[in-house]
Amino acid sequence: MIGFVPLRPQPQAWLYRSVLCPFAERYCEYLVESGYAASTVNRYVKCIAHFAYWLTRHRIEVARVNNRLARSFVNGHLPQCACPDPIPRGRTDVSAALQHLLVVLGVRAVPRFLWAEPDSVQQEVCCFTEYLSDVCGLAECTCYQRGRIIRDFLRRHFGRRRVDIAQLTILDIHRFVTRYPDGCKAGTAHVAGVTLRSYLRFRRMQYNDEVDELIAAVPNVAGWRLAALPEALSEAEIEQFLSSFEHLTASSLRDYAMVRCLADLGLRAAEVVRIQLDDLNWREGTLQIRRTKSRRAYVIPLPEPTARAIADYIRLARSSTSTSRAVFVRHHAPADVPLGTGRVHQAVHDAYVRCGLTEHSGTHLLRHSVAGRLLRSGSSLKEIADVLRHQSIDTTAIYAKIDLRSLEAVALPWPGSRS
């Protein structure tokens, strides 16, 4: 396989005479299997040859290769690199090549939002997000959101110093929640407060820190659950939104199928990307949702337009050689990998822009629109709760505020007006 990557004698010698030589063949195979073009594989291998030369010069063993060392090479060596030409020195290509190398070496990946952070912050945030996932059972997107908030908190108060909770004061806690981020809405401040309480409880559980006073100091952000009206698209806007998708490429067919799941079934973005081929029952016309927000499994009817969109994508766009059981996968390198929720959000955002609905944003708007459509058709709140898979009817009660037809029947005349 290494013959697939023609290298000049000098970079080839650097690679074969280094501690990375035993992994060179597997590295090339990994890139090819992931769907990278030959030119990209060649470029990344040259980057690894450069890294191998640097390891040899500094007598660094392969066991010491980790995220910190890769970051040191990119941020410390590349800006002042004086290694013999020809070698790539672009930060983007070298960083990408090293991330793939860490995967081949079996090094635990660090989330991208932590790449520029010091080791103390990286380790602390990774331990916290693992706690949220393994102990608290939170969804991946929630762990990601809370990890970013705690990263900002630790960066603000400790910088590159060791994390020492004993140095925090009540004023530090109060300022962070009320000012994160500057000019934020009450909902964002509320999430910051919940996250900070969760992190302090994690410190108490894992390290037995004395944090009771700090937990009590986290301010409660005022908020009223039914204060706002849920936004929803009209029937005409939904039709305009769905019509904005072209059906010419594999990606457009995939994005259209995902959006139909959002707009027809009211699924969450995380539920869409987790749909497996085995969850589709074509004979009975049902779809099984296994991993929902409530950690329960549901079997729901699969409407004909949604089923047709998914079937068209699987038959016409999804690779027949794919080994992934996920329905929605990447089509570009790294190929055949299940999509993340970011791709769903991007597909929805692009559709809003194409059809001129730029004042709207987010995938949850389509879920609200499903509830609005059911209300207009005369469905009860209990029926809507069943479709949206709410555990409590109180969660669905907010949609009663947009049922104008029912509200008109019980509205009283305005005082002083003619009835």
Side-chain angles (χ1 to χ4, degrees), residues 310-375:
I310 296 175
D312 287 345
Y313 163 65
I314 294 176
R315 290 188 304 105
L316 304 176
R318 194 176 184 276
S319 174
S320 58
T321 60
S322 174
T323 58
S324 175
R325 299 305 296 172
V327 172
F328 302 110
V329 295
R330 287 178 57 96
H331 297 152
H332 303 287
D336 203 24
V337 175
L339 291 179
T341 56
R343 179 57 238 173
V344 183
H345 288 282
Q346 188 62 50
V348 172
H349 172 76
D350 293 345
Y352 286 145
V353 173
R354 286 195 301 269
C355 62
L357 300 174
T358 53
E359 70 277 11
H360 298 299
S361 63
T363 60
H364 230 60
L365 177 61
L366 300 176
R367 184 172 169 85
H368 292 322
S369 301
V370 171
R373 183 169 66 248
L374 292 173
L375 271 175

Side-chain angles (χ1 to χ4, degrees), residues 147-160:
R148 290 178 64 95
I149 292 174
I150 295 304
R151 175 206 62 182
D152 296 340
F153 174 75
L154 298 177
R155 178 199 293 163
R156 178 175 301 183
H157 293 289
F158 299 106
R160 308 192 71 84

